[in-house]
Amino acid sequence: MAFLGSAVRRVVSAVRPPLSPLSRTTARSYSSEPTSEKSVPYEKTLKQEVGKSSGPTKPLPKSAEAVVIGGGSLGCQTIYHLAKMGMTNVVLLERDRLTAGTTWHTAGLLWQLRPSDVEVELLAHTRNVISKDLEEETGLHTGWIENGGLFIASNKQRLDEYKRLMSLGNVYGIESHVLSPAETKDLYPLMNVDDLYGTLYVPKDGTMDPAGTCTTLSRAATARGATVIENCPVSGIQVRTDDLGVKRVKAVETPHGTIETSCVVNCAGVWAPKLGEMAGVKVPLVAMHHAYVVTERIEGIQNMPNVRDHDASVYLRLQGDALSVGGYEQNPVFWDEVSDNFAFSLFDLDWDVFTQHIEGAINRVPVLEQTGIKSTVCGPESFTADHKPLMGEAPEVRGFFLGCGFNSAGMMLGGGCGRELAHWIIHGRPEKDMYGYDIRRFHNSLTDNPKWIRERSHESYAKNYSVVFPFDEPLASRNMRKDPFHQVHERLSGDVYYLAIGGAWQNTTGTTSEPFFRMKASLPANGPL
């Protein structure tokens, strides 16, 4: 029996734990192939026995008002909302089967509270679609489980942040409660509360089932006239130039035929950049490994809320009578060579990278130290430079829309963003203020700069659970920006910090220095110049 605690001790002692007992993923047979990645020795590839060789599941129409490419959360939500808004001559193309790319292995968590009012509204719509609308329309249960969510605060600063979230949630009628450590212990008896400052409890948070949700969405869309075609990869996108010199989408090419259309929606996840290249559109996202482990049965964990411990950078998702443990590492593994044949597939888990989550989980729920690991799940996810999705019409080609780069939150945001994307396509603009998600927020000099995208995406991933401070500035790729202090920084030799003490400027060695910058009144009282 392999335990979480022993996994930590083995990695700390620089001995990689054997993967065979820790990765007992039942009902799957993998074939291992070498990859070029240094930190992951093998890429596990699972090819479906039923699928590509059988051809498209339905005949391709000759034309469509819109073609959605990608059968994951966003693709299914988008075609569902397009059909619901009256655009019935729409087609969804999936190269393998629904959820085959990144959606199938997602944790499926839904937290209702976010620091943005627009995101709170988007999440509320997703929850409404998953928990109510789809079941009423189809009579099918999507797999929604309402077991609540618990945000952990290990310091006053974090609890203050949660109180701000609670205030915002009150505006939208989201029930939440700030709990003391003792109240938290009553709610979650297996939790260690000795180092807690408090928690925020949201009773109506929950989890979604990716397969059940996407299947139900596709059936609801099909019932309204939409067409969902699986086992049909896209091989090209035709673009024409109109009389004014504007590039516009003309058609979508597949090995099984061509669909004439003036609108393409790129919901291809980590494969979105390749799809964008077919139309001459730059899609600024990168693919990374994102992982969690599933534990053996834990007595007493049933019906407990999901936990998000931001300071430990870990989440604990209830999975029946077990837990899924995951989070965001400081040193994520990039997937540089995105494979077109990667469907329902996983990577080997890099324990050197993942160990920090186990340590945080054991601290929060000590019984995990003696709990076995039933399976590991490490799959690809798409991430962006500011940890926000890429949506809207691409500036390079009219009629080419983006719905990708969801930073492992595609299930959570899918309903709200699918509705906004459908509104964008039909009416020319979204209903809500979606500028923070609009692809046009990035200048073309940035969307075509792989180094900037990679560095900023890495930092955004690592800081995903960090406290958000006012005027916070990213550290990655700062040398690209020439701000007013740029020349001052260049003139400095080394890292020299100045303090304003009693009106006189002193450097960190304590010796007096003449002020070399005359606009000192506009500078902060203390800190680097």
Side-chain angles (χ1 to χ4, degrees):
M1 174 67 71
F3 298 105
L4 283 169
S6 62
V8 173
R9 289 190 290 273
R10 289 179 183 179
V11 174
V12 169
S13 62
V15 178
R16 183 183 296 276
L19 290 178
S20 52
L22 296 175
S23 306
R24 295 201 308 274
T25 310
T26 58
R28 299 191 183 103
S29 59
Y30 295 95
S31 61
S32 298
E33 299 176 359
T35 70
S36 59
E37 299 180 43
K38 296 180 180 179
S39 56
V40 179
Y42 297 101
E43 176 184 300
K44 292 182 175 179
T45 304
L46 172 63
K47 296 183 179 179
Q48 298 299 306
E49 295 180 359
V50 180
K52 296 180 181 178
S53 61
S54 62
T57 54
K58 294 179 183 177
L60 271 66
K62 294 187 179 296
S63 64
E65 291 181 84
V67 176
V68 180
I69 302 174
S73 172
L74 260 296
C76 292
Q77 289 279 9
T78 300
I79 196 171
Y80 165 74
H81 283 92
L82 283 171
K84 197 169 184 178
M85 291 182 186
M87 184 182 282
T88 56
N89 183 21
V90 291
V91 177
L92 185 149
L93 298 179
E94 166 54 45
R95 64 183 176 88
D96 197 275
R97 299 194 299 184
L98 295 183
T99 75
T102 61
T103 299
W104 74 276
H105 60 73
T106 183
L109 290 159
L110 191 148
W111 315 94
Q112 295 180 88
L113 295 181
R114 300 278 277 215
S116 162
D117 54 347
V118 172
E119 289 188 355
V120 170
E121 294 175 352
L122 296 174
L123 292 167
H125 183 69
T126 298
R127 186 184 179 283
N128 194 55
V129 168
I130 301 301
S131 65
K132 179 184 175 185
D133 292 353
L134 285 175
E135 190 165 353
E136 291 178 354
E137 291 180 31
T138 66
L140 300 174
H141 183 53
T142 61
W144 166 254
I145 298 174
E146 187 178 292
N147 61 313
L150 197 60
F151 285 7
I152 305 299
S154 301
N155 53 72
K156 183 180 184 300
Q157 203 169 47
R158 184 69 77 176
L159 189 60
D160 288 343
E161 182 182 44
Y162 293 161
K163 289 178 178 178
R164 290 193 293 270
L165 290 180
M166 183 178 67
S167 298
L168 179 59
N170 287 340
V171 176
Y172 292 97
I174 298 174
E175 180 186 358
S176 60
H177 310 276
V178 172
L179 305 181
S180 67
E183 292 171 324
T184 303
K185 186 72 172 179
D186 292 338
L187 176 66
Y188 204 119
L190 296 180
M191 181 174 292
N192 168 33
V193 299
D194 294 342
D195 59 344
L196 294 192
Y197 205 90
T199 58
L200 179 64
Y201 175 51
V202 186
K204 295 186 179 180
D205 284 353
T207 58
M208 299 167 284
D209 172 50
T213 297
C214 290
T215 299
T216 309
L217 285 167
S218 66
R219 290 191 181 184
T222 301
R224 294 177 180 271
T227 303
V228 177
I229 304 176
E230 298 175 282
N231 303 325
C232 187
V234 173
S235 56
I237 297 175
Q238 296 179 13
V239 176
R240 65 180 179 87
T241 303
D242 65 15
D243 296 337
L244 299 176
V246 178
K247 293 182 178 180
R248 297 180 181 275
V249 169
K250 180 182 178 182
V252 174
E253 300 174 349
T254 78
H256 310 285
T258 299
I259 303 175
E260 298 286 337
T261 185
S262 60
C263 177
V264 167
V265 190
N266 184 352
C267 298
V270 299
W271 293 269
K274 291 189 175 183
L275 191 66
E277 288 177 8
M278 296 179 184
V281 173
K282 298 293 182 180
V283 181
L285 62 80
V286 295
M288 299 185 197
H289 295 193
H290 195 55
Y292 61 88
V293 299
V294 182
T295 72
E296 299 282 0
R297 184 177 186 275
I298 303 173
E299 184 63 37
I301 204 70
Q302 296 84 351
N303 302 318
M304 290 295 100
N306 303 309
V307 175
R308 210 173 191 183
D309 191 336
H310 289 94
D311 293 317
S313 191
V314 67
Y315 69 78
L316 306 172
R317 175 201 188 273
L318 184 70
Q319 192 150 322
D321 56 1
L323 287 178
S324 295
V325 180
Y328 292 82
E329 309 86 23
Q330 299 299 308
N331 54 336
V333 179
F334 287 83
W335 190 24
D336 294 320
E337 300 297 330
V338 178
S339 170
D340 292 335
N341 298 319
F342 200 92
F344 292 105
S345 308
L346 295 173
F347 305 106
D348 280 338
L349 181 64
D350 190 322
W351 287 97
D352 292 330
V353 174
F354 191 79
T355 302
Q356 70 175 89
H357 305 315
I358 297 179
E359 293 172 337
I362 290 174
N363 175 64
R364 189 55 53 219
V365 182
V367 70
L368 289 175
E369 187 167 13
Q370 299 301 319
T371 301
I373 299 175
K374 181 166 59 177
S375 61
T376 66
V377 179
C378 182
E381 291 282 2
S382 56
F383 295 90
T384 62
D386 57 0
H387 217 72
K388 298 291 183 183
L390 306 176
M391 293 181 62
E393 191 173 28
E396 299 99 324
V397 179
R398 298 299 300 273
F400 190 93
F401 287 81
L402 300 177
C404 52
F406 275 80
N407 303 276
S408 195
M411 286 297 297
M412 275 197 293
L413 294 169
C417 288
R419 180 179 65 174
E420 293 306 307
L421 197 50
H423 207 280
W424 220 322
I425 293 166
I426 294 173
H427 301 290
R429 66 177 187 177
E431 194 172 27
K432 302 185 187 305
D433 178 10
M434 300 294 289
Y435 176 75
Y437 289 11
D438 195 330
I439 180 60
R440 292 175 296 177
R441 70 188 185 273
F442 294 125
H443 189 265
N444 56 16
S445 64
L446 299 179
T447 58
D448 197 23
N449 190 320
K451 183 176 184 293
W452 179 84
I453 296 168
R454 185 183 180 94
E455 290 184 5
R456 284 290 298 273
S457 298
H458 182 171
E459 181 178 1
S460 296
Y461 181 101
K463 293 172 63 177
N464 183 46
Y465 280 175
S466 300
V467 175
V468 180
F469 294 100
F471 311 113
D472 180 49
E473 288 288 340
L475 298 175
S477 301
R478 293 194 68 173
N479 60 336
M480 293 180 58
R481 204 183 79 181
K482 300 291 194 296
D483 59 27
F485 292 147
H486 180 74
Q487 292 181 351
V488 175
H489 280 293
E490 283 187 333
R491 288 200 300 268
L492 291 174
S493 57
D495 296 324
V496 181
Y497 291 81
Y498 287 83
L499 303 175
I501 303 176
W505 289 90
Q506 294 183 347
N507 62 23
T508 52
T509 64
T511 58
T512 303
S513 173
E514 291 296 326
F516 62 90
F517 197 82
R518 296 185 180 278
M519 293 178 64
K520 66 179 183 179
S522 64
L523 298 176
N526 296 289
L529 290 179

